[in-house]
Amino acid sequence: MTSALQVIPAATLRAAATVASHNGQYRLTAMFANDERPVHGYFAVYAIFTGKGEPACKTIKAIIKQDEPLEFPSLTPLMAAAAWYEREIHDLFGLVPFGHPDLRPLVLHENWPHGLYPLRKDFRPDMPVPEGGGQYPVPSVQGEGVFEVPVGPIHAGIIEPGHFRFSQAGENIINLEAKLFFTHRGIEKAVEGLPLPMALYRTERICGVCSVSNTLSYAHAVETMAGAEVPARGQYLRVLAAELERLYNHVGDIGNLCAGVGFAAGVSHGSRLKEQLMRLNERLTGNRFLRGWVTLGGVHMDITRDMAQDIQQTLTGVTRDFAELLGLLRNNDAFLDRINTTGILPYQAAVDLGVVGVAARASGIDSDVRRDFPYAAYRDFSFSVPVYTSGDVAARLWVRADEAVESAKIVGQVLDSLPSGNFKTALPPVKPYSTAFSLTESPRGSNLHWLMAGEKGTIYRYFVRSASYPNWPALTVAAPGNIIPDFPLINKSFELCYACLDR
Amino acid sequence: MLNLFRKIIKTGRVTEHYDSGPVPPRFRGEVVLEESRCRNCQNCREACPTGAIAFIDGKLIIDNNACIFCGRCIEVCEHNALAHTAEYRLAELQGQLAGKIKSILHRSLNIRHIDAGSCNGCDWEMTALNNPVYDLQQYGIDFVASPRHADMLMVTGVVTRNLAQALAMTYEATPEPKLVMAVGACAASGKVFGKSYAIRGAADTIVPVDIYVPGCPPRPAALIYGLLLALDRLGGKHK
């Protein structure tokens, strides 16, 4: 995609962001900081905007010199999407976004000592960190008959950890406050200084079910820096991997949605079909989550003619079965009654929060990275992007259903036109302190990875913004007004990763 | 409703015994060493992303708990001394608690899952145990909602700083006698992401662990093998 870089002093960030957003034509896609003191003598705050104009991407780099006060004007009053990014920058770098309405800790919890910033370069990984005894104030709603329901971080099912605080009037949710980042592993810091190929294995493990998408984003960024051209067969096989990942996720997610309404037969069929797809993954790559397929410069292994046939056969069976499952759901009034008009995310809220992926398309935003900023071999395939406007649980379910069908079609096209030749190329060396970023469409939405190389092909700074990052705050918009028993259903329909978000 | 019954009947029975499922040829199982071929060049140790390979007294040792089965060591070995096998039954039992559990619990087991900082890969494989293909309940094993109802905790992920307290409190809340299973390379070794300010280490840095199940993530069959091993229900069939 085409991109433009603008370097400005931090004090003018708000004005520059106003111009870059171009009356809302460009949306804030990511914001992060970088400690460039050892290289350039300053801290930098990056804000990346993407839109459908020319250039497709505008990056603002705001500079905070060492001897200046460590602060920058907050963008949150202008664009709600900036809120979490700025809290994260405040936590990890100690740069203060002045004018931010809510600077509670986000990534580091109250167990972290005040005044210690782990992503600064002078913080060494082996430094002992004492236990902090801070507070995490949670806003609550006061009034007669209003009560609070605390949930988590350990939940009642097999699910990732997060803490939710519901303010309730009877069964109705008045307010939802989510405290997350429990699975924060500090991956961005832990990969600093590692050789680029070695960090790939950690990238692959940021999230179990977005493994291919995350690895692809990372590989694209490295390949851009190195100026490498991935051979056509490699590009096609990457599309195949990405679509197989979308398929098993979407099919499984639709099954899981049935669990939200207690429709056991739907759960069984969904999980059975997901199992068939995961076994296909294991036959192709040796790993049920497709790990180890995508590598720097292409893919790690080829598929044989038998495997292509196996894919085709498995998908034919699964899509037929899946259509039958959808037929059961479409005609089930009890099911439709639970999902229609439940957990509505309005269009404007989705735009303001920068929501991506299935959740965005279900609220009427027509965006898909595969079509808008094509990568790998997506230019060569025809597929449609389903858009619904009701913004409810049902819309998110039908977007997934339609997308799964499209994915199967893309896989068919890949297998029909798979070019011969190499599937991998060697990477030329990467220039020190060069930067690159990349967007890919995971089953949950766009994943953005930003990289700055260090000396001798190592990592200087790695930033990951997963699809779940802008989508999580949307859940707290969609839940209020619904009854608490519908919350698991609403939550499932967004299908938010905690691991991707927390890193 | 009729369509639903038709679909259920048409689908028929899909449940399998855990180890009757096929292990595909590309599956990356246990890494084994052909000792006579090893030239002690230590390339594999340097290539390993998680530090699972060590040379002790000139002998190559692979720590299955830390291995993510990526195959890098096999690729860089110029002497073809290393190879994957199809073996996924790698769970190992520690300590003496297991016999005691068996005498009290007999043939049932209730499990509480705790995500201590995982990538959700292991969690999804645990979810898969409930699908009709693996149908964990056929072994008398089930997942429960509260640690108060549990006989075993299955811990996934490296223990993060933000979850250490939750893990310790959940362990406290589980009645004696209790088992703890560390699921996957993160919980079993704590090494997958290297040193980080946000990571406390493996599950056993916070709570005592009785069963280690290697894998990244372990396939569902490997998890069931670990569970049956803990319950001493394999009857000497394996290993």
Side-chain angles (χ1 to χ4, degrees):
Chain A
M1 80 177 91
T2 51
S3 89
L5 175 71
Q6 189 188 3
V7 185
I8 55 158
T12 61
L13 178 61
R14 210 177 268 187
T18 310
V19 174
S21 77
H22 202 74
N23 291 329
Q25 307 268 314
Y26 284 78
R27 295 162 77 201
L28 181 68
T29 309
M31 206 174 156
F32 53 93
N34 190 9
D35 182 357
E36 300 180 11
R37 287 175 300 169
V39 196
H40 301 121
Y42 53 67
F43 283 103
V45 174
Y46 290 82
I48 297 179
F49 293 83
T50 54
K52 286 183 179 160
E54 189 57 41
C57 158
K58 301 178 185 175
T59 306
I60 298 174
K61 177 180 176 181
I63 286 168
I64 305 170
K65 295 212 176 81
Q66 282 186 74
D67 45 359
E68 290 172 2
L70 297 181
E71 57 182 33
F72 61 97
S74 166
L75 294 185
T76 308
L78 291 181
M79 40 196 91
W84 274 21
Y85 296 119
E86 291 182 342
R87 278 171 74 180
E88 185 176 319
I89 292 171
H90 179 241
D91 273 12
L92 300 175
F93 288 89
L95 306 173
V96 182
F98 63 82
H100 194 292
D102 173 19
L103 269 185
R104 287 176 299 161
L106 180 76
V107 179
L108 306 170
H109 287 181
E110 54 275 23
N111 59 23
W112 189 264
H114 187 71
L116 196 58
Y117 305 108
L119 254 70
R120 286 192 185 177
K121 290 293 172 191
D122 44 21
F123 180 93
R124 294 185 317 277
D126 53 352
M127 258 160 83
V129 180
E131 233 5 73
Q135 292 290 316
Y136 188 86
V138 180
S140 63
V141 180
Q142 306 283 322
E144 199 183 316
V146 176
F147 58 94
E148 270 194 354
V149 182
V151 181
I154 306 292
H155 299 286
I158 306 172
I159 186 174
E160 298 178 80
H163 178 76
F164 301 105
R165 195 78 65 91
F166 298 93
S167 295
Q168 296 282 133
E171 274 200 311
N172 285 315
I173 303 171
I174 302 173
N175 186 45
L176 165 61
E177 176 75 22
K179 182 184 174 192
L180 300 164
F181 289 91
F182 282 93
T183 64
H184 178 60
R185 288 151 286 167
I187 295 174
E188 289 176 1
K189 179 79 175 188
V191 299
E192 283 180 10
L194 279 187
L196 289 161
M198 205 62 128
L200 184 83
Y201 299 93
R202 311 244 172 118
T203 300
E204 229 171 13
R205 282 156 182 84
I206 290 171
C207 169
V209 288
C210 307
S211 187
V212 170
S213 171
N214 276 320
T215 321
L216 265 184
S217 281
Y218 178 76
H220 287 158
V222 175
E223 285 151 12
T224 309
M225 286 196 294
E229 194 70 43
V230 175
R233 192 176 176 89
Q235 301 280 28
Y236 272 57
L237 290 176
R238 282 181 168 186
V239 171
L240 180 64
E243 293 308 317
L244 287 174
E245 180 171 87
R246 190 177 332 280
L247 259 174
Y248 86 79
N249 271 290
H250 279 358
V251 169
D253 291 344
I254 288 172
N256 281 338
L257 265 169
C258 298
V261 303
F263 182 40
V267 185
S268 279
H269 282 298
S271 58
R272 178 176 58 84
L273 294 176
K274 183 181 180 185
E275 179 66 22
Q276 288 181 21
L277 291 167
M278 292 188 81
R279 287 189 175 187
L280 172 69
N281 293 348
E282 200 181 36
R283 291 198 291 278
L284 297 174
T285 67
N287 183 292
R288 287 161 54 91
F289 293 85
L290 296 161
R291 281 174 178 172
W293 205 359
V294 177
T295 188
L296 300 182
V299 291
H300 190 257
M301 47 197 148
D302 205 354
I303 58 165
T304 61
R305 197 164 297 181
D306 288 351
M307 284 174 175
Q309 219 165 23
D310 182 10
I311 299 171
Q312 207 103 36
Q313 265 168 12
T314 310
L315 290 200
T316 310
V318 168
T319 39
R320 197 191 313 120
D321 224 335
F322 183 59
E324 285 175 14
L325 169 62
L326 291 179
L328 292 179
L329 301 182
R330 284 209 163 95
N331 296 319
N332 187 331
D333 287 337
F335 180 75
L336 296 178
D337 187 43
R338 286 290 303 279
I339 63 168
N340 284 331
T341 70
T342 303
I344 294 174
L345 176 67
Y347 170 79
Q348 197 54 47
V351 170
D352 291 346
L353 293 171
V355 169
V356 296
V358 171
R361 293 190 278 278
S363 291
I365 300 177
D366 185 11
S367 75
D368 189 317
V369 174
R370 294 175 296 166
R371 181 198 61 197
D372 301 338
F373 314 115
Y375 52 93
Y378 276 111
R379 259 189 207 87
D380 300 353
F381 308 116
S382 61
F383 59 96
S384 61
V385 175
V387 178
Y388 286 69
T389 51
S390 54
D392 52 5
V393 172
R396 288 185 282 279
L397 187 146
W398 303 130
V399 166
R400 280 198 184 89
D402 293 357
E403 271 185 29
V405 174
E406 291 299 315
S407 285
K409 281 189 200 155
I410 297 175
V411 170
Q413 293 177 50
V414 172
L415 296 176
D416 285 343
S417 55
L418 193 61
S420 55
N422 277 341
F423 50 88
K424 193 177 161 184
T425 182
L427 282 198
V430 173
K431 226 173 92 201
Y433 308 111
S434 50
T435 62
F437 80 96
S438 155
L439 277 166
T440 59
E441 187 79 19
S442 82
R444 281 144 190 79
S446 66
N447 277 338
L448 182 144
H449 288 214
W450 187 92
L451 259 181
M452 184 178 195
E455 304 278 354
K456 295 181 192 141
T458 58
I459 292 180
Y460 183 83
R461 168 89 168 105
Y462 181 30
F463 169 77
V464 177
R465 196 238 53 193
S466 72
S468 297
Y469 201 100
N471 286 7
W472 260 110
L475 180 66
T476 59
V477 175
N482 293 274
I483 55 172
I484 210 167
D486 274 345
F487 176 72
L489 180 64
I490 300 167
N491 193 4
K492 278 195 179 86
S493 73
F494 278 93
E495 188 47 32
L496 300 156
C497 289
Y498 299 67
C500 271
L501 170 83
D502 300 354
R503 290 155 285 146
Chain B
M1 203 46 138
L2 272 178
N3 283 336
L4 181 60
F5 288 143
R6 197 174 296 138
K7 176 76 184 151
I8 292 170
I9 292 165
K10 204 178 102 185
T11 306
R13 197 188 72 175
V14 294
T15 305
E16 291 175 354
H17 188 257
Y18 80 96
D19 67 352
S20 65
V23 181
R26 278 193 178 176
F27 176 71
R28 297 190 294 274
E30 187 177 25
V31 178
V32 290
L33 170 74
E34 175 86 53
E35 255 180 70
S36 59
R37 288 194 176 155
C38 181
R39 295 287 173 274
N40 224 344
C41 66
Q42 312 217 358
N43 284 348
C44 52
R45 188 179 59 83
E46 277 158 35
C48 180
T50 61
I53 297 176
F55 280 81
I56 298 169
D57 299 330
K59 272 192 81 170
L60 188 154
I61 313 275
I62 300 170
D63 177 5
N64 272 341
N65 285 340
C67 181
I68 55 170
F69 303 89
C70 66
R72 277 271 286 173
C73 51
I74 295 167
E75 260 169 65
V76 299
C77 181
E78 289 162 6
H79 314 290
N80 294 324
L82 293 165
H84 281 298
T85 67
E87 187 57 83
Y88 64 85
R89 300 185 207 92
L90 304 171
E92 272 186 19
L93 219 51
Q94 299 281 316
Q96 302 301 316
L97 196 61
K100 198 166 137 199
I101 289 279
K102 190 195 171 195
S103 66
I104 296 165
L105 299 170
H106 302 287
R107 299 182 72 82
S108 87
L109 184 74
N110 286 328
I111 303 168
R112 170 66 251 177
H113 164 237
I114 306 174
D115 180 342
S118 85
C119 73
N120 75 37
C122 294
D123 311 30
W124 279 114
E125 292 299 51
M126 284 173 62
T127 308
L129 295 177
N130 280 333
N131 76 24
V133 180
Y134 296 105
D135 182 30
L136 193 64
Q137 290 178 343
Q138 69 174 306
Y139 308 97
I141 305 171
D142 207 356
F143 289 101
V144 291
S146 165
R148 305 265 185 221
H149 304 159
D151 310 309
M152 174 192 271
L153 302 176
M154 276 171 92
V155 183
T156 59
V158 287
V159 183
T160 61
R161 198 181 168 87
N162 292 347
L163 276 166
Q165 188 195 7
L167 174 58
M169 285 172 74
T170 310
Y171 181 79
E172 280 299 308
T174 312
E176 295 279 356
K178 51 193 163 191
L179 283 169
V180 178
M181 178 189 270
V183 176
C186 289
S189 76
K191 287 182 180 173
V192 175
F193 294 101
K195 270 210 176 343
S196 158
Y197 63 89
I199 292 174
R200 281 284 164 84
D204 56 16
T205 54
I206 308 289
V207 293
V209 172
D210 305 290
I211 312 115
Y212 294 84
V213 182
C216 189
R219 62 206 299 259
L223 289 172
I224 300 176
Y225 171 80
L227 288 167
L228 297 182
L229 183 74
L231 291 179
D232 199 13
R233 287 202 357 217
L234 291 166
K237 263 196 290 185
H238 303 292
K239 292 201 164 173

